[in-house]
Structure formats: C-alpha cells, structure tokens
Amino acid sequence: MGNAPPIVDILHLYKSYRRGNQKIPVLQDITFTIAEGEFLALMGPSGSGKSTLLNLIAGIDEVDSGTITIGGVDITSLSELELARWRAVNVGFIFQFYNLIPVLTAFDNVELPLLLSGLSRKTRREHVETALEIVSLTDRMDHYPGQLSGGQQQRVAIARAIVTDPVILVADEPTGDLDRHSAEEIMQLMDRLNSESGKTIIMVTHDPRAAGKAHVIRQLDKGVLSNETHQDH
C-alpha cells in the first residue's frame, strides 16, 4: 500500500455555505492524499463536513478554493459539462437510501449509468450481468426495488456503482438504513470490492463496525481533518 501512487490529491480545500447574509465555514484548509486501492473511512460528529467532503471528491459540489486531483485530473478546473462527463465514468456512488428508481427492474437500474456510454446493447447487458454477479443478485435481475429487501436494494445500488468500472467508489452511510445482518453483508461485499477488485473506496460512516473494514480512518471535526488511524487487516 505504501508505494501506491495517490489516486486522490487534495490541497488546501475550503468550502462554506451561505445562510442569508452569513457565511458558514464547513471545511477549512483540508490537505491529504488517498492511495490507489485504499479503503478510507471518514468519521466525525454530525455537521463536521464529512458528506460535504465526500461530495466535493465526487464532483457533486464545488469548492470555494483549493484543488482536488483524481487520477491526474484536476476536477476543480473542469466546466460543469466536463465535470458531469468525468463523474459519469470515474465515480461510483453508493447512498444510504439506495436511490433506485422504483419503476425499473434491478437490471434496468444497474444499466442506467451505461446508457450514455455509447456501448452496444449486448455489451451493456454483459456489463450489467457481471456487476449483478459480483453482488450475488443475478437471480433477482428482473425484480423491482419494492420486491427486494433493504440489503438486496443496497446490493443493486452497489452493482450500479461498479458497472462503469469507476476510478473511485464513494459511499455515504452505506449501512445507515440497514439492520445489523444486512449491514455486515454490505460491508463484506465492499471489503471484497476493495481487496479482490482493487477498488479505491471513500466511505462516510457513523458506524464503528463499518469503519472497521477500512484500512485508514480519518476524523473530521468542525471542518478540520484531525488524526489518521491505520488498521491492519
């Protein structure tokens, strides 16, 4: 791990929000790197800026100042259109509440990120089937979200996140809406994606059990990045 080049390089990052005439600082002078193939957990109290930092890394939100370089691309210098194109190929998203479209089957939900890719229908199908196989849901591909358990829905969401073979996976409280057993299954799956497929994962979590799967835990408090803990697996 120590010799892997950084896949994410964050330099002097500042972010604030406006509330009326007030400027509320959220992140202050954040500088750190994430190695390729790392599994990082971001922890800290509510309102500490964890999800904001995750959204900036994912190119969903814009920085006030500072740079974020991912896979050699300074995403803070991209236009909105360029950023949208970059995000579609390079980032896989895993959300707390799955964000599946209820009127689409599991297969169709997973296929969504590929629809703008220019891939043939046959190639898209192969990619979707591979992603569903990785999350052990091939037998549920024709089911709708409402016919699946919470854990199964989150596995569909993970299949959708990995179907484009993204550079990074970002996960915001991926176990936050699951019972303990389903949460453990999801974390084992994410652990496998990291250890077997080499996926770089950046995860926000309140759950110490989920964070236990990460290699590195970083604490955020009041917008400032504090101590870093390395974990042996």
Side-chain angles (χ1 to χ4, degrees), residues 14-28 47 52 64 222-223:
Y14 286 84
K15 177 67 181 175
S16 57
Y17 291 113
R18 292 208 167 274
R19 189 180 295 154
N21 292 328
Q22 268 188 310
K23 193 177 181 185
I24 315 286
V26 182
L27 297 171
Q28 300 175 67
T52 299
D64 290 356
K222 294 178 183 161

Side-chain angles (χ1 to χ4, degrees), residues 4 36 115 192:
E36 187 168 7
L115 293 178
R192 280 207 337 267

Side-chain angles (χ1 to χ4, degrees), residues 26-67:
V26 182
L27 297 171
Q28 300 175 67
D29 200 14
I30 303 279
T31 293
F32 73 108
T33 59
I34 301 171
E36 187 168 7
E38 195 169 282
F39 190 162
L40 170 71
L42 289 169
M43 299 191 81
S46 290
S48 60
K50 304 182 302 295
S51 291
T52 299
L53 179 55
L54 196 72
N55 288 342
L56 291 170
I57 293 170
I60 295 173
D61 207 348
E62 287 182 26
V63 305
D64 290 356
S65 62
T67 59

Side-chain angles (χ1 to χ4, degrees), residues 13-233:
L13 196 66
Y14 286 84
K15 177 67 181 175
S16 57
Y17 291 113
R18 292 208 167 274
R19 189 180 295 154
N21 292 328
Q22 268 188 310
K23 193 177 181 185
I24 315 286
V26 182
L27 297 171
Q28 300 175 67
D29 200 14
I30 303 279
T31 293
F32 73 108
T33 59
I34 301 171
E36 187 168 7
E38 195 169 282
F39 190 162
L40 170 71
L42 289 169
M43 299 191 81
S46 290
S48 60
K50 304 182 302 295
S51 291
T52 299
L53 179 55
L54 196 72
N55 288 342
L56 291 170
I57 293 170
I60 295 173
D61 207 348
E62 287 182 26
V63 305
D64 290 356
S65 62
T67 59
I68 302 173
T69 304
I70 299 179
V73 177
D74 175 4
I75 67 169
T76 53
S77 68
L78 300 179
S79 71
E80 214 170 299
L81 181 61
E82 288 168 336
L83 190 58
R85 286 179 176 152
W86 173 86
R87 202 169 48 227
V89 175
N90 292 283
V91 185
F93 299 93
I94 304 163
F95 303 96
Q96 179 175 347
F97 298 112
Y98 330 130
N99 287 14
L100 300 177
I101 296 176
V103 295
L104 297 181
T105 62
F107 181 97
D108 293 335
N109 268 287
V110 175
E111 188 184 28
L112 276 176
L114 298 176
L115 293 178
L116 299 174
S117 65
L119 295 173
S120 70
R121 193 172 176 178
K122 180 174 178 288
T123 305
R124 288 201 311 269
R125 180 166 195 91
E126 287 167 2
H127 283 17
V128 172
E129 287 175 351
T130 299
L132 284 167
E133 194 175 326
I134 289 169
V135 302
S136 307
L137 275 184
T138 312
D139 59 334
R140 294 283 195 275
M141 68 169 65
D142 295 324
H143 287 59
Y144 293 91
Q147 299 171 311
L148 301 172
S149 69
Q152 289 170 334
Q153 288 185 63
Q154 189 60 296
R155 281 193 275 155
V156 172
I158 291 171
R160 179 185 58 193
I162 63 175
V163 75
T164 59
D165 193 21
V167 173
I168 58 171
L169 282 176
V170 297
D172 197 351
E173 298 283 3
T175 61
D177 200 44
L178 298 174
D179 63 67
R180 187 166 179 172
H181 175 71
S182 299
E184 181 59 31
E185 284 188 339
I186 291 301
M187 290 316 304
Q188 284 174 359
L189 173 56
M190 290 179 67
D191 184 42
R192 280 207 337 267
L193 287 170
N194 173 253
S195 59
E196 295 172 18
S197 305
K199 286 293 169 203
T200 304
I201 301 175
I202 306 154
M203 173 180 69
V204 162
T205 185
H206 281 104
D207 182 357
R209 286 189 299 269
K213 295 288 186 189
H215 305 145
V216 179
I217 298 175
R218 283 183 171 273
Q219 299 284 344
L220 258 175
D221 194 9
K222 294 178 183 161
V224 177
L225 207 57
S226 55
N227 56 321
E228 172 182 288
T229 308
H230 289 259
Q231 304 190 113
D232 294 323
H233 287 289

